[in-house]
Every structure is written in structure tokens, then in C-alpha cells.
Amino acid sequence: MDDTDRTVPRRRVLRVGGATLVGIAGLANGIGSANRKRAAQEDDEGPRAETLVASSGQVDVGSDDSLETWLYDEQIPGPELRVSEGETLRVSLENGLPEETTIHWHGVPVPNPMDGVPDVTQEPVSSDETFEYEYEASPAGTYVYHSHVGLQLDRGLYGPLIIEAESPHVEYDREYTLQIDDYLPEEPALDSIEAPPGGGDGMGPDGGPGGDGDGMGPGGNGGPGGNGDGMGPGGNGDGMGPGGNGDGMGPGGNSDGMDPGGNGDGMGPGDGMGPGDGMGPGSQMQSQRPPYEGLLVNGRLPSDPPVFDVEEGDRVRLRFINPSSATTYRVGIGGHPLTVTHADGRPVEPVEVNSFVMSMGERYDAIVEADAPGEWAIVADPVVGTEDPAEARLRYEGASEDGAAERPQFDGPELEYGDLQALESLDLDGDPDRTFDLTLSGRMMGGADSDAWTIDGETYPDADPLEISEGEHVRVRMINRSPAIHPMHLHGHFFQVGDAVKDTVLVAPHGDQVTFDFLADNPGDWLFHCHNVYHLERGMARVFEYV
């Protein structure tokens, strides 16, 4: 039985919720050492106290040689932290690394000083020093903690954070957490990948800096170097702004291009990512990824995959997390559909699909009905990349252990953002108080460094802040004028994209446009950035600053 298993009596799950989730933990088949976890406490004796030690160490991922890398508590992934919703979590980070570090609590709207962004929300933690993070663990959901310094994430400094709901909206008998990561057997370095490609697809780089609410910023008609097609974030009144005109150019357009949702068919995470648009495994963007040796599930290569035991008739909750530094995946299970129940930790109306695309920083929870005995492959295939897919196994009680497992065909319906209906939408009424039109691009912007990734032509940290005020309804409209995938993550807040509530959204290449709205309800300075850490390190970030 895998160490991420939590057996939950289905008949009790809605009655006692999180308390039933502290179940059986064991050692995964084929895993050399157990990934330790810390279960939620069941008393009211004050904050839940934990310690995470960041240090260098050896790790075995199932290859011929062990790897010297950086770890939390001497394991990869780091230990699962599991707390009850509303519990106060206190984590002491002890830095045993030879350089500074921090921890970011990805997706959790923590108080600003606890967010873990170096030189924005805190001074980085020096070697041999300790920093204490403390915050209320809320809302319930599937999250991930990781270093937010340089390229440290690509060394393996990440782990799952599970905040248990008191009353889950779905029933299940057991659950597993799957962390899907790209495996780099050497120290990460920016010069291991090529600089951003220039010129892109001929679309002009402009589209206007932060707008004033009407989407008509400079360059809305194409901008310098553009093709005059009105593809700036505000467009030229032809309905081509984010949200689009129902032609799939936004998260779900409503014909006027001005809303974050609507009745269009929507550019979901899985509808533009196939080989036909230049984003297949052998695309030009392969040179934009480090020389990964493989892809991992819970720290294991596909040659020695983790095994998740189930019994026929089980309803199994799978928590999928993508802590990768530069890889987007298409995920599916042989012989079983997936009923998606949560996106980025937030509950949605259950929707059944064959597969979903999950970019860096995104999380999806899904229920699998165990009604097809045997052994089946859980596969995460890179959207861009030539590595063998990451793999785990779903093994029924009594199934043969000969290693054979049927794989998904990826020939059924794939999740799109437009399929996601949040159970609780954000409290956003009327028109936005402030709108930002932002262009995502590479070195096409005038004056940008040749190796920079930019937001509106500016490179972080030498970029102007995006000023907002507490209580405002803020709208962000993005257009991606580069040939690369950009998973854009907002710290400290959830946002609404279409009818989904998320904290990370994939903006597809070659002109994809995505709009999201959020409520400015958590004062501070909050990073907004691409969650490809190589793009972030080359400048693709801005700071939302409360004024």
C-alpha cells in the first residue's frame, strides 16, 4: 500500500469529514523509503507545530545511481503536511543549505509576511538560520509548499500541503496524493536552456500596458511589429479581447470580449496543446526546457512506479499536484474515467472526463470508480518534451503483479476550463474597479534583454508595480504573444476565470487570451508570475501592490 493512501469509510465521510481521513499509512510498493507525513491533529491545543529541514542529501528515484540534491527532511517529495481547515499551522524552516532559501505556501491566501517571496514579503533565510511561518490553514484543499528562491524548486524542494475539509462535497473510500515532477540530475542553471525565441508567430508584442478599465490601451490595434489584426488585450472593438467572441479565444467568451466568463466554448487547458499547433513533444520549445532525465510520480521514475492499491467497488480520491519547474502534462488513467471534483483546491461541480492538462503549479482532485479489476497505468504525458511519461499504477486487490498495465488512450473528452463550475464563486459584483491588460512575451518587446521573458515588456525585479486598493474588484486580461506555455500564478488570492475559482491558469501559446477577476481582500505586496521557474528567473513577474 502506498504511503499516500488514506482509507476513508465512505458511509462516514460526510458526517465526520477530516477526522476520518487520518487513516492507514504504509510503504509504497517499489519505493525505497517511505515519504513521511504528518496527520491533522484532532484537538484544540493551540497551533499545529512542524519543522522542515532543508538540506542536501542523496535520493534514489529508481535509476541506477543515487542523486545528490536538495531536500526537505531528507526526502523527495518533502513530507506531506496535513491539517484541518481552520487550524493554525506553525512551521519552522531550518536552513541547512549552503545558500539562502524560503518556503512559499502555493495557493493558500496566507498573510503577506508569511508568503515566502524573497525581498518582497520577507528577507530570505540565511544558511544555518531558522524562520517561523504561522497562518490559519484555510480554505480546505490540495496545495503545495516549495522554495521560492532562484531555481531551487528544480532541485526537489517541494512537498504537499493538504487542508482537510470538515464536510467534503464528495464521498470516497480512500485517497492518494500524486506529485508529478520533472527530474533533473544536475544543478539547475539558466544557461542550460536557450534564450526566449524572438519574433514569435509574427504577432506584435504590444497590446498596451495596464489599462484603465476599457481595454483600449496603446497598441490595441496590433502594436509595433503587429499584424494589424486587433489582437491586443483590449482589441479594437471587434470582440477580440479576452473572453473573445465565442471563438475559443478566452476562458469562455460572451461575444463582447469584456467578461471573464460567458457562453463561448472557452480555451480550456486541453484544447490547444496537441502536436497540431507546434506544442507537441518535438516542438521548438523543447530547447526551452532543461535536460531532464525523466519524469517522476512521488519521486519515482516510470521504471519503478509507485503502486496505489484499491479494492473493487472503492471510490478513490486522487489529488494531483504539478510542482514541476518546466513541464505541463496530459493526465489520464487506463480503463477509468476521471470525475474532477476540485481545481486548485477549490470544489467544483463534479465533471467526468477522460483526461486533463495540468500545468506548473496547478492541482486537480478527481474521483475514480474502481470498477475494472486488474492493474492500470496512471500516466502523465509531457505536452512539450520527449521524456517517457511519468507513471504510477492503480492495482486492484488480487491483480497479477507481473508489471503489465493497460495505459490510457487519451481519445475521450478532455477537461477544459469552461467545464469547471465552482461551488462557491467569488464575491464580485458589477464592473471591475481596475483593469490591467498584460502582454506575455519573450525578447520581442522593445528594449528588453535578449534572454528575458516579459510582462508588458518589463522584466522583474526591475518592473513597475501594478497598483490596486483594498476592496477593489480587479480584472486582469492577458494575451500570450510567445510560442511558450505560461502558467500564470497570483499569490495571496484566488481568482475567477470563467466559472472556475483558481490561483494558477494556463495561457496557451500563439495568441491565447485569458481573463480573470479577483477581489483585493488581502493587503500587501503580492507576486504575479509565470510558474515556469526558468521564465520567472528571466523576468516574467510583476508585483500587485496595495496602495
Side-chain angles (χ1 to χ4, degrees), residues 207-218 233-234 433-438 456 466-467 474-477:
D212 59 2
D214 62 0
M216 296 300 290
D433 300 298
R434 202 180 300 254
T435 297
F436 296 93
D437 293 322
L438 302 176
D456 262 23
L466 305 174
E467 295 184 346
V474 181
R475 177 166 294 169
V476 177
R477 303 189 293 201

Side-chain angles (χ1 to χ4, degrees), residues 144-347:
V144 58
Y145 62 88
H146 62 81
S147 169
H148 217 293
V149 172
L151 301 176
Q152 291 180 5
L153 175 60
D154 218 8
R155 287 180 177 266
L157 286 173
Y158 67 88
L161 171 62
I162 308 300
I163 303 177
E164 297 176 349
E166 182 178 351
S167 299
H169 75 293
V170 291
E171 293 187 346
Y172 53 96
D173 299 296
R174 66 176 75 203
E175 67 170 273
Y176 295 101
T177 300
L178 294 83
Q179 297 162 94
I180 305 169
D181 188 27
D182 32 30
Y183 164 55
L184 188 65
E186 59 193 45
E187 180 179 352
L190 278 178
D191 59 9
S192 68
I193 63 174
E194 293 182 6
D201 54 5
M203 299 174 66
D206 215 336
D212 59 2
D214 62 0
M216 296 300 290
N221 288 323
N227 56 7
D229 60 2
M231 291 294 287
N236 59 359
D238 62 359
M240 293 303 287
N245 58 0
D247 62 357
M249 290 306 293
N254 69 347
S255 81
D256 66 0
M258 297 301 292
D259 286 345
N263 56 7
D265 58 3
M267 280 297 288
D271 58 357
M273 303 307 237
D277 69 349
M279 292 308 297
S283 78
Q284 63 169 311
M285 295 312 297
Q286 174 61 26
S287 62
Q288 286 294 309
R289 298 173 69 248
Y292 292 121
E293 269 197 14
L295 304 173
L296 310 176
V297 176
N298 293 355
R300 307 302 297 175
L301 288 166
S303 57
D304 188 14
V307 175
F308 304 121
D309 295 325
V310 299
E311 296 180 8
E312 187 174 4
D314 280 349
R315 283 171 56 88
V316 184
R317 180 177 183 172
L318 301 178
R319 299 178 184 261
F320 293 93
I321 301 172
N322 183 358
S324 298
S325 294
T327 305
T328 297
Y329 303 95
R330 176 169 283 107
V331 180
I333 305 178
H336 299 75
L338 294 151
T339 300
V340 174
T341 61
H342 298 73
D344 288 354
R346 307 304 297 135

Side-chain angles (χ1 to χ4, degrees), residues 225-516:
N227 56 7
D229 60 2
M231 291 294 287
N236 59 359
D238 62 359
M240 293 303 287
N245 58 0
D247 62 357
M249 290 306 293
N254 69 347
S255 81
D256 66 0
M258 297 301 292
D259 286 345
N263 56 7
D265 58 3
M267 280 297 288
D271 58 357
M273 303 307 237
D277 69 349
M279 292 308 297
S283 78
Q284 63 169 311
M285 295 312 297
Q286 174 61 26
S287 62
Q288 286 294 309
R289 298 173 69 248
Y292 292 121
E293 269 197 14
L295 304 173
L296 310 176
V297 176
N298 293 355
R300 307 302 297 175
L301 288 166
S303 57
D304 188 14
V307 175
F308 304 121
D309 295 325
V310 299
E311 296 180 8
E312 187 174 4
D314 280 349
R315 283 171 56 88
V316 184
R317 180 177 183 172
L318 301 178
R319 299 178 184 261
F320 293 93
I321 301 172
N322 183 358
S324 298
S325 294
T327 305
T328 297
Y329 303 95
R330 176 169 283 107
V331 180
I333 305 178
H336 299 75
L338 294 151
T339 300
V340 174
T341 61
H342 298 73
D344 288 354
R346 307 304 297 135
V348 299
E349 292 288 351
V351 55
E352 184 175 300
V353 295
N354 177 261
S355 62
F356 58 86
V357 168
M358 180 172 63
S359 201
M360 295 77 88
E362 290 191 296
R363 294 93 61 210
Y364 287 102
D365 293 21
I367 297 293
V368 174
E369 299 277 359
D371 55 6
E375 182 164 329
W376 303 88
I378 305 172
V379 170
D381 200 10
V383 170
V384 176
T386 57
E387 302 88 2
D388 289 337
E391 186 174 325
R393 299 295 178 87
L394 195 70
R395 179 181 293 164
Y396 285 72
E397 183 179 28
S400 170
E401 298 185 16
D402 60 4
E406 188 169 338
R407 305 172 69 80
Q409 299 302 308
F410 296 112
D411 56 358
E414 187 162 89
L415 182 72
E416 298 184 8
Y417 287 142
D419 298 326
L420 298 172
Q421 305 289 318
L423 292 187
E424 297 182 8
S425 297
L426 299 183
D427 186 16
L428 298 168
D429 295 324
D431 294 330
D433 300 298
R434 202 180 300 254
T435 297
F436 296 93
D437 293 322
L438 302 176
T439 299
L440 313 178
S441 62
R443 55 178 170 156
M444 297 172 282
M445 303 297 288
D449 294 337
S450 62
D451 62 351
W453 288 100
T454 66
I455 298 178
D456 262 23
E458 297 190 39
T459 56
Y460 180 82
D462 301 319
D464 294 333
L466 305 174
E467 295 184 346
I468 58 177
S469 295
E470 187 173 4
E472 287 185 335
H473 169 184
V474 181
R475 177 166 294 169
V476 177
R477 303 189 293 201
M478 300 175 289
I479 182 169
N480 183 358
R481 292 193 179 280
S482 81
I485 296 168
H486 296 304
M488 302 303 296
H489 172 54
L490 175 62
H491 287 219
H493 305 74
F494 292 103
F495 53 70
Q496 190 153 325
V497 54
D499 292 317
V501 174
K502 300 183 91 267
D503 56 66
T504 306
V505 63
L506 184 159
V507 189
H510 303 298
D512 186 25
Q513 301 181 52
V514 173
T515 295
F516 67 78

